[in-house]
Amino acid sequence: MSYKNGSNETYVKLFSSEFNQDPYPTFSKLRQEDPIHQTLLPNGQYSWIITRYEDAVAVLKDPRFIKDYTSFPGEEEQEEEQAVSNIFVKNMLFSDPPDHRRLRGLVQKAFTPKMIEGLRGRIEEITNELLNKVQSKGEMNLIDDFAFPLPIIIICEMLGVPSQDRDKFRTWSNTLVEASNDPEEAAQLQTHMTEFVMYLRQLCAARRQEPEDDMISKLIQSEEEGDSLSEQELYGVISLLIIAGHETTVNLITNGVFALLENPEQKAQLINDPSLIESALEEFLRYNGPVEFSTDRWAADAVELRGKTIAKGDHVIVALDSANRDPEQFSDPEVFDITRGKSKHLSFGKGIHFCLGAPLARLEAEVAVTNLLRRMPDLQINSAPETLEWRPGILMRGLKELPVAF
Ligand code: HEM
């Protein structure tokens, strides 16, 4: 693979803890001065970072940017050596057509807006149970007590993962998503990935013996019925749904509530007119999108973008949260405005990999935030906002903790 060193990295502290606290000034600078920017990622990989909205859409929709790097000559043999980690990429998010269509098709039916709407009652029930537990305390950690458990309970119930095992997933998926290049962390990552895969093997073996009315049993049926799903892909698809269910909606709820608490007039407006919730959710997604950067893409051919040549084999990621603040696309992009209505944010991606779980994430966040504000209208941040820390890692944007009082 050919790599070119970025020439103006001195001003950009991409991925540092300072950057994590507030990436937007860096994004703004990059959009203006070097919108197709090559840099070194924390894992030692050179990558092109795309920061403007128009380019982001073009890259996400361009079939020359592919997901499966093992299709490059010389990359195949790594597959054997990294058998465990490969399981986590044997799914639609890391596949290209025609595999992508086949893998997405296997689970798509369960995620249509109509199917998801059927979960509304259960989402309401869990939301209210979680709020009942804390109501009399007058305070909670919004993440641990509310925003995190809700989507986990739902995805585990959809898949058929026993509820007593939920805590293990939190540890495993956090390690996977926050992985850096630190040798100690790399060892821990390997251990957690192995544990995760062993767990999936046992769970699937149990469902194979005694199928239940859940998604894992249905996927096993597709695997057994023919060549539509290999065993590795079975684990790959399940692990993707577990990780997506763990790491994303929690940030949508928390980032959204945080923005409301920092903008009390917007919070009051939403409480006075709850029908604004749909528009507010879209603004939560745009203003501090839970997935800050797209997942990996590779140039299958040389591609020219704004005078730069992205060489064949180069790695590319799209800064979704930068595109969402591009002034060429959004008026006053730095302003949080829940009345903006349907905006064309890229928080769920674009093109064939557009988020499969978007209807589920939207419904969970709608029910969660509506009930939270209805039951705790005087909700406020229970610590100095400047002491709140954002999580490390290059994929997600979410707070580590959000203590609130009510
Ligand atoms: C607010 C919550 C969520 C956000 C912001 C989000 C965002 C995204 C984004 C940006 C992508 C595309 C990544 C890329 O192209 O590189 C994606 C793909 C995907 N998401 Fe989500 N996601 C969310 C929730 C969920 C949930 C709850 C699930 C399922 C349980 C889910 C399942 C998936 C799957 C399966 C894909 C891959 C689709 C494909 O490759 O065809 N997501 N998501």
Side-chain angles (χ1 to χ4, degrees):
M1 313 218 163
S2 75
Y3 300 122
K4 263 186 280 166
N5 206 341
S7 54
N8 38 4
E9 284 188 38
T10 41
Y11 70 81
V12 182
K13 297 190 205 77
L14 278 169
F15 315 116
S16 60
S17 53
E18 195 189 333
F19 170 81
N20 280 343
Q21 282 306 104
D22 183 8
Y24 298 106
T26 305
F27 283 151
S28 169
K29 225 168 168 166
L30 282 175
R31 279 194 309 269
Q32 287 169 48
E33 294 173 12
D34 195 19
I36 314 291
H37 175 74
Q38 198 173 37
T39 194
L40 197 59
L41 299 181
N43 68 0
Q45 160 100 58
Y46 269 104
S47 184
W48 293 98
I49 315 286
I50 312 297
T51 48
R52 282 199 195 168
Y53 184 92
E54 193 190 339
D55 301 334
V57 172
V59 167
L60 292 171
K61 287 171 76 173
D62 189 333
R64 289 174 298 175
F65 292 108
I66 61 168
K67 304 281 303 174
D68 181 6
Y69 72 91
T70 60
S71 56
F72 287 109
E75 295 294 332
E76 314 88 323
E77 61 272 35
Q78 289 183 13
E79 224 179 337
E80 291 298 311
E81 290 161 26
Q82 301 171 349
V84 169
S85 54
N86 270 331
I87 283 182
F88 296 99
V89 294
K90 288 278 172 201
N91 57 50
M92 53 277 204
L93 187 52
F94 299 100
S95 307
D96 301 301
D99 286 341
H100 172 262
R101 205 171 307 115
R102 173 175 57 86
L103 294 169
R104 187 167 166 127
L106 287 168
V107 286
Q108 196 152 25
K109 271 185 263 142
F111 285 94
T112 59
K114 199 167 157 221
M115 286 297 285
I116 294 302
E117 191 53 39
L119 296 172
R120 184 181 283 272
R122 182 69 186 129
I123 298 173
E124 293 269 2
E125 199 172 70
I126 300 164
T127 300
N128 282 307
E129 279 169 16
L130 292 168
L131 294 176
N132 289 347
K133 278 195 206 156
V134 293
Q135 181 101 52
S136 64
K137 292 188 192 157
E139 59 178 32
M140 67 168 151
N141 179 339
L142 190 89
I143 298 179
D144 285 356
D145 294 324
F146 186 58
F148 182 74
L150 173 65
I152 299 314
I153 296 172
I154 294 292
I155 193 66
C156 285
E157 287 184 359
M158 286 174 83
L159 285 164
V161 172
S163 55
Q164 69 269 20
D165 296 333
R166 276 185 227 131
D167 281 349
K168 295 183 194 160
F169 287 125
R170 181 176 200 176
T171 320
W172 295 333
S173 76
N174 274 353
T175 324
L176 273 165
V177 168
E178 290 182 359
S180 74
N181 214 26
D182 179 89
E184 224 168 88
E185 280 183 27
Q188 196 187 44
L189 175 66
Q190 197 61 34
T191 313
H192 284 174
M193 282 196 305
T194 309
E195 286 170 0
F196 196 165
V197 171
M198 278 166 60
Y199 178 90
L200 290 178
R201 287 208 171 109
Q202 281 166 8
L203 183 63
C204 290
R207 287 294 181 284
R208 226 181 268 281
Q209 287 222 302
E210 266 181 67
E212 291 188 13
D213 184 21
D214 58 39
M215 213 185 288
I216 291 185
S217 303
K218 288 195 186 102
L219 284 168
I220 288 174
Q221 217 179 341
S222 327
E223 187 219 349
E224 284 172 348
E225 272 171 5
D227 56 2
S228 55
L229 189 69
S230 72
E231 194 185 352
Q232 285 224 329
E233 289 169 343
L234 173 68
Y235 302 140
V237 170
I238 298 171
S239 59
L240 173 62
L241 294 176
I242 293 174
I243 294 168
H246 270 70
E247 302 290 334
T248 52
T249 313
V250 52
N251 294 337
L252 171 55
I253 298 171
T254 313
N255 296 356
V257 171
F258 180 52
L260 287 176
L261 299 182
E262 286 216 297
N263 295 273
E265 73 300 338
Q266 302 270 315
K267 181 185 143 213
Q269 201 176 358
L270 185 53
I271 290 173
N272 288 336
D273 181 1
S275 73
L276 280 174
I277 186 67
E278 271 182 39
S279 164
L281 280 184
E282 299 311 301
E283 184 65 348
F284 296 173
L285 284 157
R286 184 198 71 82
Y287 187 70
N288 250 330
V291 178
E292 188 170 352
F293 290 91
S294 75
T295 53
D296 307 332
R297 279 167 174 73
W298 312 84
D301 276 313
V303 179
E304 290 286 324
L305 261 183
R306 290 193 194 274
K308 298 252 175 124
T309 306
I310 300 178
K312 180 175 176 172
D314 277 3
H315 183 263
V316 179
I317 55 176
V318 175
L320 302 171
D321 280 348
S322 172
N324 284 341
R325 298 261 188 130
D326 187 338
E328 304 231 333
Q329 177 67 24
F330 303 98
S331 56
D332 297 325
E334 306 299 332
V335 175
F336 175 70
D337 176 4
I338 61 163
T339 63
R340 214 177 264 271
K342 250 199 161 15
S343 66
K344 289 185 171 169
H345 64 72
L346 297 182
S347 296
F348 288 123
K350 191 90 188 165
I352 63 166
H353 295 283
F354 182 84
C355 178
L356 181 82
L360 176 61
R362 282 191 168 111
L363 181 62
E364 287 173 343
E366 180 202 315
V367 172
V369 176
T370 304
N371 281 291
L372 180 72
L373 293 182
R374 181 180 57 78
R375 293 183 54 167
M376 296 153 181
D378 58 346
L379 194 76
Q380 49 194 282
I381 302 175
N382 205 9
S383 73
E386 62 279 7
T387 61
L388 295 173
E389 279 183 65
W390 294 83
R391 289 174 56 183
I394 70 159
L395 191 59
M396 303 292 172
R397 175 148 181 82
L399 288 166
K400 282 187 184 169
E401 285 195 345
L402 181 55
V404 290
F406 40 86

